[in-house]
Amino acid sequence: MKHTLIVTLMAAATLLTVAEAPKKAEGKPAVKAAVAAKASATKEAALKAGFDEKVWGNPEFDGKTYTPKKTSWKIADNKVPSSWYIMERNKGDRTFAIVPHADGNGSFIRISGGTISKDLRKIGEKNTFHIRYKGKGSAYLYVIRYNKKTRNNLKSELFHHFKNVDVKEWTDAVFEVNMPVHKDGERRVFWFAAFDNSPFEIDSIYLTTK
């Protein structure tokens, strides 16, 4: 790998340091102000697979945001989407932004030089991540596991490496991750780690599980 990543699982324990309607012209029907956006292939696939927002909230980075604690990240408008966290773990520049789509339908995130994460609740053995992205550079997708009671590390999963990619159009990808049954006392955390200065843009990340 271009970058050697030393994963310190105990660091995961500190992740949470998270118009008026047009009037009718005479004899003509009113014209709708906007047309609803068609769902992306990523969203459609996740819904078809039984996506449950109670298990995995805010997959499209829309809605509520929060202001993170003091950080060395450069965060646009000082806003991070609810249910997601940024990790203070790498040297160098780290930038993050929530960016509205040009058509006004929702938002996506732009990240470089760091990691975003989300806790995984008690999930099944067969897990599928549905991701819509574009960008340039390298990034890693992990599930980090450790025992909260004993603070022992458990086997984690590096399940995809975007290696020196250059993707200019929104692309839909699906990744299967099989893991042991979630035991009491265990914590699992999803990481999207983008280490290059060139930003990755992510429109949505869905999780479906069995």
Side-chain angles (χ1 to χ4, degrees), residues 159-205:
F159 63 90
H160 189 70
H161 177 199
F162 292 102
K163 187 176 182 180
N164 297 324
V165 301
D166 189 356
V167 181
K168 295 180 174 61
E169 302 294 334
W170 287 116
T171 300
D172 301 284
V174 177
F175 304 105
E176 303 286 346
V177 186
N178 294 328
M179 290 180 289
V181 173
H182 198 135
K183 296 181 179 179
D184 288 341
E186 179 183 343
R187 186 180 183 186
R188 295 182 178 183
V189 185
F190 166 79
W191 285 5
F192 184 103
F195 294 113
D196 292 342
N197 289 330
S198 299
F200 265 82
E201 295 180 341
I202 310 169
D203 187 23
S204 55
I205 301 178

Side-chain angles (χ1 to χ4, degrees), residues 24-175:
K24 292 184 179 180
E26 271 189 50
K28 294 182 180 180
V31 178
K32 291 184 179 179
V35 178
K38 182 180 178 181
S40 69
T42 290
K43 182 175 182 178
E44 289 181 339
L47 294 177
K48 186 176 181 180
F51 171 70
D52 183 356
E53 189 153 4
K54 293 179 181 178
V55 175
W56 183 265
N58 198 12
E60 298 195 356
F61 316 108
D62 295 331
K64 294 182 179 180
T65 63
Y66 69 94
T67 300
K69 294 181 179 180
K70 185 178 180 180
T71 175
S72 61
W73 282 64
K74 297 175 183 176
I75 302 175
D77 299 323
N78 209 24
K79 292 180 179 179
V80 175
S82 64
S83 300
W84 292 89
Y85 305 96
I86 57 175
M87 291 184 62
E88 191 70 33
R89 55 184 307 274
N90 300 323
K91 294 181 179 180
D93 290 337
R94 291 168 293 277
T95 61
F96 180 88
I98 303 173
V99 184
H101 280 291
D103 61 6
N105 289 295
S107 304
F108 61 93
I109 62 171
R110 181 177 293 141
I111 178 174
S112 64
T115 301
I116 59 168
S117 64
K118 177 195 279 286
D119 274 88
L120 297 167
R121 300 185 183 182
K122 290 188 176 182
I123 56 177
E125 295 180 75
K126 296 182 179 180
N127 304 280
T128 304
F129 288 91
H130 312 257
I131 298 178
R132 186 172 176 84
Y133 75 98
K134 62 180 177 177
K136 185 177 182 180
S138 297
Y140 302 85
L141 302 179
Y142 279 93
V143 173
I144 304 300
R145 301 171 57 227
Y146 67 96
N147 189 304
K148 293 186 294 183
K149 295 179 179 178
T150 64
R151 303 185 72 80
N152 289 330
N153 298 333
L154 302 173
K155 184 178 182 296
S156 297
E157 301 288 341
L158 166 61
F159 63 90
H160 189 70
H161 177 199
F162 292 102
K163 187 176 182 180
N164 297 324
V165 301
D166 189 356
V167 181
K168 295 180 174 61
E169 302 294 334
W170 287 116
T171 300
D172 301 284
V174 177
F175 304 105

